[in-house]
């Protein structure tokens, strides 16, 4: 998939994803070693976008499993088309049960979900298991077979083994601690808030019409907000949204009025907005 760490950086940049050296190195190793990649960090720092960018540069199909509380095998792995099975049973009333059973538990009646879809694919595939920490602990047991041997067992059909391993990315916001068994099967990458220089490059890339001075101001103010004790610090995605907002408003500089009127773009809680309005000193930045 990639020839070197520099190749990862260059090709991801072509998609608009600016990767730090640590990100590029870990992605290269995950691809070279054929290991799943567990990406952890705050919301909005580019974990999901990393999987999308890898799929784009590799010309691979992106298969996404969005995790949530209560997601189970029928949503993650497969389920049977019960309505179609009932119609088949009704149509074959003169057949023996053994004949009917063999037919209704066949590929024709199987509904593959993301995990099985990725395992069975014979084309380049990126499997994104998004927000893994939101799934129940029991879900991790299902993932272990997939991540260990890249195979899935369907009792009625047998074991399905990948002929072409997908590139697997698991993301987590660290809402709960993932099991050691799951972590052991993955390479680990933590993506935090970027350094100022990298964030400036991201803003320049995503909002090219914003002036250099305003780009510098945006990044400095966001850095100051992250240093405060807020309920939710602004993410990279919100930095970009704020830059686009300022561009849309035609703002030439960041003054108190502009910041006060647009804080709702980067801060999502009223007490955070009040705290920022009281403590933020633009003259000191």
């Amino acid at each position: 998939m990639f020839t070197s760490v520099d190749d990862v950086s260059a090709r991801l940049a072509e998609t608009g994803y600016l990767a730090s050296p640590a990100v590029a190195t870990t992605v290269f190793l995950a691809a070279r070693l054929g290991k799943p990649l567990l990406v952890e960090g705050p919301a909005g720092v580019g974990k999901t976008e990393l999987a999308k960018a890898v799929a784009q540069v590799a010309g691979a199909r992106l298969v996404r499993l969005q995790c949530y509380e209560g997601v189970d095998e029928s949503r993650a792995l497969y389920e049977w088309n019960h309505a179609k099975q009932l119609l088949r049973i009704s149509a074959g009333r003169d057949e023996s049960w053994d004949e009917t059973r063999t037919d209704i538990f066949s590929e024709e009646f199987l509904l593959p979900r993301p995990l099985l879809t990725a395992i069975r694919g014979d084309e380049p595939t990126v499997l994104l298991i998004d927000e893994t920490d939101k799934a129940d602990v029991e879900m991790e047991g299902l993932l272990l077979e997939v991540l260990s041997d890249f195979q899935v067992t369907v009792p009625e059909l047998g074991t399905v083994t990948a002929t072409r391993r997908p590139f697997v990315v698991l993301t987590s916001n660290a809402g709960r601690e993932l099991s050691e068994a799951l972590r052991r099967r993955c390479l680990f990458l933590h993506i935090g808030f970027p350094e100022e220089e990298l964030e400036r490059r991201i803003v320049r890339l995503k909002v090219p019409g914003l002036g250099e001075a305003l780009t510098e101001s945006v990044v400095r103010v966001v850095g100051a907000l992250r240093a405060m004790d807020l309920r939710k610090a602004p993410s990279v995605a919100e930095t970009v949204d704020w830059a686009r907002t300022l561009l849309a408003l035609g703002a030439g500089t960041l003054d108190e009025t502009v910041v006060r009127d647009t804080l709702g773009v980067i801060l999502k809680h009223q007490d955070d907005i009040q705290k920022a309005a009281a403590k933020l000193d633009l003259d000191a930045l």
Side-chain angles (χ1 to χ4, degrees):
M1 186 180 290
F2 301 106
T3 59
S4 66
V5 174
D6 289 339
D7 183 47
V8 175
S9 296
R11 292 173 64 188
L12 289 180
E14 291 174 1
T15 73
Y17 191 98
L18 299 181
S20 68
V23 170
T25 300
T26 311
V27 168
F28 172 74
L29 292 174
R32 182 58 59 92
L33 301 176
K35 298 275 287 184
L37 176 58
L38 172 59
V39 188
E40 199 167 71
V45 294
K47 302 184 299 296
T48 300
E49 292 304 313
L50 176 60
K52 293 179 179 179
V54 170
Q56 186 175 340
V57 300
R61 175 181 56 163
L62 179 68
V63 177
R64 181 173 181 171
L65 170 61
Q66 181 64 52
C67 295
Y68 53 88
E69 185 178 353
V71 65
D72 57 10
E73 183 176 289
S74 65
R75 291 288 178 264
L77 190 53
Y78 73 93
E79 65 180 327
W80 294 103
N81 190 331
H82 299 302
K84 192 173 181 180
Q85 285 176 324
L86 288 173
L87 288 173
R88 172 63 183 85
I89 292 171
S90 299
R93 292 176 179 173
D94 296 333
E95 296 177 344
S96 68
W97 168 242
D98 288 338
E99 292 173 322
T100 304
R101 180 178 56 189
T102 301
D103 192 15
I104 64 173
F105 289 111
S106 62
E107 286 282 349
E108 181 183 353
F109 299 89
L110 187 68
L111 298 174
R113 298 309 184 197
L115 296 182
L116 183 57
T117 297
I119 290 296
R120 296 202 306 177
D122 55 5
E123 60 185 325
T125 301
V126 172
L127 171 60
L128 169 61
I129 304 174
D130 212 8
E131 298 186 303
T132 311
D133 54 319
K134 289 188 177 180
D136 299 327
V137 175
E138 292 76 14
M139 182 65 188
E140 293 187 29
L142 178 62
L143 294 176
L144 294 181
E145 181 184 19
V146 175
L147 301 182
S148 295
D149 304 315
F150 287 90
Q151 65 181 31
V152 165
T153 300
V154 181
E156 296 85 354
L157 297 178
T159 299
V160 179
T161 303
T163 55
R164 183 166 189 163
R165 287 191 174 193
F167 183 92
V168 183
V169 178
L170 302 92
T171 73
S172 169
N173 296 335
R176 69 171 177 84
E177 188 67 25
L178 300 177
S179 71
E180 290 301 322
L182 183 64
R183 290 179 177 273
R184 191 169 61 247
R185 287 160 172 78
C186 305
L187 297 186
F188 178 76
L189 172 65
H190 182 272
I191 299 182
F193 298 120
E195 299 291 333
E196 280 195 10
E197 175 54 32
L198 179 56
E199 192 156 24
R200 282 194 291 269
R201 290 174 56 205
I202 292 171
V203 173
R204 292 189 197 109
L205 179 66
K206 300 293 186 181
V207 195
L210 199 68
E212 187 63 29
L214 194 50
T215 297
E216 293 276 350
S217 298
V218 165
V219 172
R220 284 200 302 270
V221 170
V222 169
L225 291 172
R226 289 175 184 156
M228 297 180 184
D229 183 22
L230 302 177
R231 288 178 62 183
K232 182 187 180 302
S235 67
V236 179
E238 286 155 349
T239 302
V240 172
D241 286 344
W242 196 31
R244 288 173 175 158
T245 298
L246 297 174
L247 184 63
L249 292 174
T253 59
L254 272 185
D255 55 37
E256 290 188 5
T257 300
V258 171
V259 172
R260 183 180 62 250
D261 291 345
T262 59
L263 273 177
V265 177
I266 48 176
L267 301 178
K268 307 302 181 181
H269 298 280
Q270 180 60 24
D271 50 347
D272 284 349
I273 292 175
Q274 292 173 341
K275 183 180 294 186
K279 292 186 176 182
L280 193 62
D281 184 2
L282 293 179
D283 294 333
L285 296 177

